[in-house]
C-alpha cells in the first residue's frame, strides 16, 4: 500500500454513460497525476495538478475527459459519454516536488473501467 | 520528451543478478532517470532514481555513465517474486512510460 487510494477499484458501465473516479493522494504531496493503461502497454500520462492548479491537460485523450482537484487534496477524473475504447485501467499517482530535488511518484492501485 | 529503449523481455533464474539496460540518447540536462516495477493489475512501484554515477538502495542499484545516454538497473539475487515489468523513464515533472521489460524469473 503506497498511501494513494482510488475508488472505485472496478467500474462496469454501459456505452454512453458518464463515469467519475476518485483519487486520494498522500496527504502532504503537492502533485497529483492521472494515467491510463491498456493491456500490454505502459501507463499513458493524461494530466497533472500542482496543488489545485491543473498544469498540463493537453494530453487528455479527448474533450470527454476532464479532471479536477478542487481544494488541492483529492482529485476526480470524469469521462463523459463513455466508449468501448475507454476500457482501461486508470491510475492516479502523487508526489512531493521539492525545489531542486528529485521526485518519485507513488501510484495507487488503479480503477479498472469496463465499458460494455 | 525523452524516449527510452529497453529490451522487451528478459529471462533469469533465482539467485542470479539481473541487469536491465535502457538507452535514452536525448536525455535533457534536468531529467532524472527513474525505474519502476509493475505487477499485473497493480500500479507501478518506484524502485530507484538517479541523475548521474551510481545510486544504490536496499533493492537495486542504478548505474549511469557520464554521458547519461543510458542507464542500467541491477537487481541482485532475484527471486520468483521479482517477475514483473520494469520501466525505465527519463523526465523531470511528467513521466512517459514505454512498454517496459518483462522479466521472468524461473526456479
Amino acid at each position: 500500500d503506497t498511501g494513494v487510494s482510488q475508488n472505485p477499484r472496478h467500474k462496469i458501465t454501459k456505452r454512453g454513460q458518464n463515469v467519475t473516479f476518485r483519487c486520494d493522494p498522500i496527504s502532504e504531496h503537492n502533485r497529483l497525476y492521472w494515467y491510463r493503461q491498456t493491456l500490454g502497454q505502459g501507463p499513458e500520462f493524461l494530466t497533472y495538478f500542482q496543488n489545485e492548479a491543473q498544469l498540463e491537460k493537453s494530453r487528455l485523450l479527448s474533450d470527454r475527459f476532464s479532471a479536477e482537484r478542487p481544494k488541492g487534496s483529492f482529485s476526480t477524473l470524469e469521462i463523459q459519454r463513455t466508449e468501448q475504447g475507454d476500457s482501461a485501467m486508470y491510475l492516479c499517482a502523487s508526489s512531493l516536488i521539492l525545489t531542486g530535488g528529485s521526485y518519485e511518484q507513488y501510484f495507487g492501485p488503479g480503477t479498472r473501467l469496463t465499458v460494455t | 520528451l525523452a524516449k527510452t529503449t529497453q529490451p522487451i523481455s528478459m529471462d533469469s533464474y533465482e539467485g542470479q543478478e539481473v541487469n536491465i539496460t535502457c538507452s535514452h540518447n536525448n536525455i535533457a540536462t534536468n531529467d532524472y532517470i527513474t525505474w519502476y516495477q509493475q505487477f499485473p493489475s497493480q500500479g507501478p512501484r518506484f524502485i530507484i532514481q538517479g541523475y548521474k554515477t551510481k545510486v544504490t538502495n536496499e533493492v537495486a542499484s542504478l548505474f549511469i555513465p557520464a554521458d547519461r545516454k543510458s542507464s542500467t538497473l541491477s537487481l541482485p539475487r532475484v527471486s520468483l517474486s521479482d517477475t514483473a515489468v520494469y520501466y525505465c523513464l527519463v523526465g523531470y515533472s511528467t513521466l512517459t512510460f514505454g512498454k517496459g521489460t518483462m522479466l521472468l524469473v524461473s526456479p
Side-chain angles (χ1 to χ4, degrees):
Chain A
D1 184 0
T2 62
V4 179
S5 61
Q6 293 188 245
N7 288 288
R9 294 292 308 276
H10 303 273
K11 178 70 176 178
I12 300 174
T13 192
K14 293 184 177 180
R15 186 175 53 190
Q17 298 295 306
N18 298 343
V19 293
T20 300
F21 310 138
R22 176 177 171 129
C23 171
D24 287 272
I26 295 171
S27 59
E28 62 268 27
H29 283 186
N30 54 0
R31 283 203 177 176
L32 186 148
Y33 310 79
W34 284 100
Y35 295 82
R36 182 182 80 158
Q37 186 171 26
T38 54
L39 195 63
Q41 304 295 316
E44 177 184 13
F45 169 76
L46 297 178
T47 187
Y48 82 100
F49 296 84
Q50 179 153 323
N51 300 313
E52 64 274 14
Q54 191 172 12
L55 297 187
E56 171 63 63
K57 57 181 179 181
S58 64
R59 308 270 287 277
L60 285 168
L61 300 165
S62 77
D63 58 7
R64 297 184 298 107
F65 288 72
S66 63
E68 292 183 344
R69 194 183 184 197
K71 296 184 179 180
S73 56
F74 74 92
S75 175
T76 57
L77 177 70
E78 181 182 17
I79 308 174
Q80 296 182 329
R81 305 180 303 281
T82 53
E83 302 173 355
Q84 288 187 321
D86 297 331
S87 295
M89 176 77 85
Y90 291 84
L91 295 161
C92 171
S94 70
S95 67
L96 177 62
I97 296 298
L98 303 173
T99 301
S102 63
Y103 68 100
E104 64 183 82
Q105 294 186 18
Y106 294 81
F107 282 80
T111 295
R112 182 165 295 283
L113 172 67
T114 302
V115 182
T116 61
Chain B
L1 294 172
K3 294 184 179 179
T4 60
T5 302
Q6 53 184 122
I8 293 174
S9 63
M10 294 183 68
D11 296 323
S12 183
Y13 293 97
E14 281 190 296
Q16 289 190 333
E17 178 184 72
V18 172
N19 295 309
I20 307 174
T21 296
C22 178
S23 65
H24 26 80
N25 292 320
N26 57 342
I27 188 170
T29 301
N30 61 349
D31 284 343
Y32 284 84
I33 299 160
T34 312
W35 287 80
Y36 283 81
Q37 175 193 55
Q38 188 175 29
F39 299 110
S41 298
Q42 294 186 23
R45 184 176 74 96
F46 174 89
I47 301 174
I48 197 166
Q49 183 179 80
Y51 185 79
K52 61 181 179 180
T53 64
K54 177 183 175 182
V55 180
T56 297
N57 62 23
E58 63 275 11
V59 299
S61 295
L62 178 60
F63 299 91
I64 305 169
D67 66 5
R68 303 198 332 122
K69 293 184 183 298
S70 67
S71 60
T72 298
L73 174 72
S74 181
L75 304 172
R77 299 179 298 282
V78 294
S79 64
L80 297 177
S81 63
D82 292 318
T83 292
V85 178
Y86 292 81
Y87 295 98
C88 162
L89 300 99
V90 295
Y92 183 69
S93 59
T94 61
L95 299 179
T96 300
F97 286 80
K99 292 189 177 183
T101 296
M102 176 64 219
L103 173 65
L104 175 63
V105 180
S106 300

